[in-house]
Amino acid sequence: MTALEKPVTRTAYQQSVADYWNAEKDPVNLRLGDVDGLYHHHYGLGDYDPAVLETPADRRDEAIIAEMHRLETAQADVLLDHLGPIKPEDRLLDAGCGRGGTSVMAHLRFGCQVDGISISEQQVGFANAHVRQRGIDGSVRYHLKNMLDTGFGSGTFQGIWNNESTMYVDLNELFAEHARQLKPGGRYVTITGCYNDVTGGRSRAVSQIDQHYICNIHARGDYFKAMAANGFVPINVVDLTAATIPYWELREKSSVATGVEKPFLTAYREGSFHYLLIAADRV
Ligand SMILES: C[S@@+](CC[C@H](N)C(=O)[O-])C[C@H]1O[C@@H](n2cnc3c(N)ncnc32)[C@H](O)[C@@H]1O
């Protein structure tokens, strides 16, 4: 870093998030990613094939892992479905990109340039090495950047998404930065867990999830307030809660369960937490 460059992490909290992801080598992420080289740090959507649970013992674990990975890839496909028409000459931003799976999928689908950013140097290094191996490093690039102040030019991107990464940041700061970087008429999509304003504040289960990931789950209403304040007009809001529960039920039975399955299932089933997709246009 030169004297003029700003540090990527600005607060002790951001440093702890970076430390968490720099150290993270969880089999639930790595073993699933090894299936086909798409590394995800998000959850799955859709029903699982119950036959995987009947697989003979020596292949059962492998079958469950492949099935969970299929559901996680299906989740990223649903997010990309909501970006609208993207042309090969457009540019997309994956904000809080993890090890980069959704960025790779976006490039393969739209043929365009994708920039992924993460606050974790390890993730950025891993993801760049992976796209080099795939031979798509000329089109998909990962950067160590803070999504609240990326340094990208104004009006650069036709589409921006946050796939399960909004719970680490202040939403007003985030949407102000996204509004700056998006072209007018550009599309923003997020898939996120949010707590239910109707049932009050954070339930015990939601607090347990926050503690597990060192994050700050926002209320559902906070998204719409912060979007409206920053020039975003929602075009689609999809409650994905029912569609993600099977993934958690399968994950609870898997060898790669981390212990966070119980709070997720409790929070979804009691209605204190939603898995939501929001797509919005920048006006
Ligand atoms: C749960 S992971 C999701 C990763 C990815 N979107 C995916 O779907 O696989 C959260 C990501 O947000 C990133 N993150 C958290 N705070 C950030 C910030 N202020 N700026 C950039 N990235 C951040 C973390 O480094 C991590 O990559």
Side-chain angles (χ1 to χ4, degrees), residues 43-268:
Y43 311 125
L45 282 182
D47 289 336
Y48 65 83
D49 177 357
V52 294
L53 297 173
E54 309 304 324
T55 311
D58 58 330
R59 286 183 289 112
R60 186 171 177 267
D61 195 40
E62 211 183 315
I64 293 177
I65 282 176
E67 186 63 354
M68 285 170 58
H69 182 63
R70 184 181 70 78
L71 301 182
E72 291 186 4
T73 296
Q75 185 267 24
D77 268 323
V78 168
L79 187 153
L80 298 177
D81 287 346
H82 285 82
L83 277 175
I86 301 293
K87 298 189 284 302
E89 57 271 28
D90 288 333
R91 203 166 153 191
L92 298 173
L93 177 65
D94 181 353
C97 62
R99 287 187 173 91
T102 311
S103 302
V104 171
M105 289 172 63
H107 169 69
L108 297 178
R109 183 191 288 214
F110 302 117
C112 65
Q113 301 236 352
V114 185
D115 293 282
I117 59 175
S118 170
I119 206 170
S120 155
E121 199 165 2
Q122 288 293 325
Q123 290 187 326
V124 168
F126 182 102
N128 276 326
H130 183 71
V131 288
R132 268 196 301 278
Q133 264 177 28
R134 275 191 186 248
I136 55 170
D137 50 317
S139 304
V140 184
R141 296 182 194 85
Y142 301 96
H143 316 264
L144 178 63
K145 283 183 183 292
N146 193 322
M147 61 175 127
L148 299 180
D149 183 6
T150 66
F152 287 118
S154 297
T156 300
F157 299 103
Q158 178 60 34
I160 299 182
W161 69 85
N162 283 104
N163 198 353
E164 292 184 16
S165 52
T166 48
M167 56 291 280
Y168 295 97
V169 290
D170 177 272
L171 292 179
N172 266 303
E173 288 181 50
L174 178 71
F175 294 139
E177 181 64 344
H178 284 350
R180 184 189 69 75
Q181 303 170 95
L182 264 182
K183 290 185 176 160
R187 174 67 56 81
Y188 171 73
V189 183
T190 184
I191 294 186
T192 189
C194 51
Y195 71 82
N196 188 357
D197 315 59
V198 178
T199 53
R202 282 178 183 74
S203 66
R204 181 171 182 187
V206 169
S207 300
Q208 286 167 337
I209 299 168
D210 269 347
Q211 180 142 23
H212 185 97
Y213 289 112
I214 329 175
C215 65
N216 248 310
I217 291 166
H218 303 290
R220 175 157 45 110
D222 291 344
Y223 282 88
F224 300 95
K225 285 180 209 148
M227 282 186 179
N230 289 284
F232 284 98
V233 177
I235 179 146
N236 254 307
V237 180
V238 188
D239 180 3
L240 300 169
T241 310
T244 194
I245 288 179
Y247 164 86
W248 286 99
E249 289 170 343
L250 180 63
R251 180 168 155 159
E252 196 178 35
K253 297 183 181 76
S254 77
S255 67
V256 291
T258 61
V260 80
E261 292 74 18
K262 207 172 156 45
F264 267 91
L265 283 166
T266 303
Y268 285 141

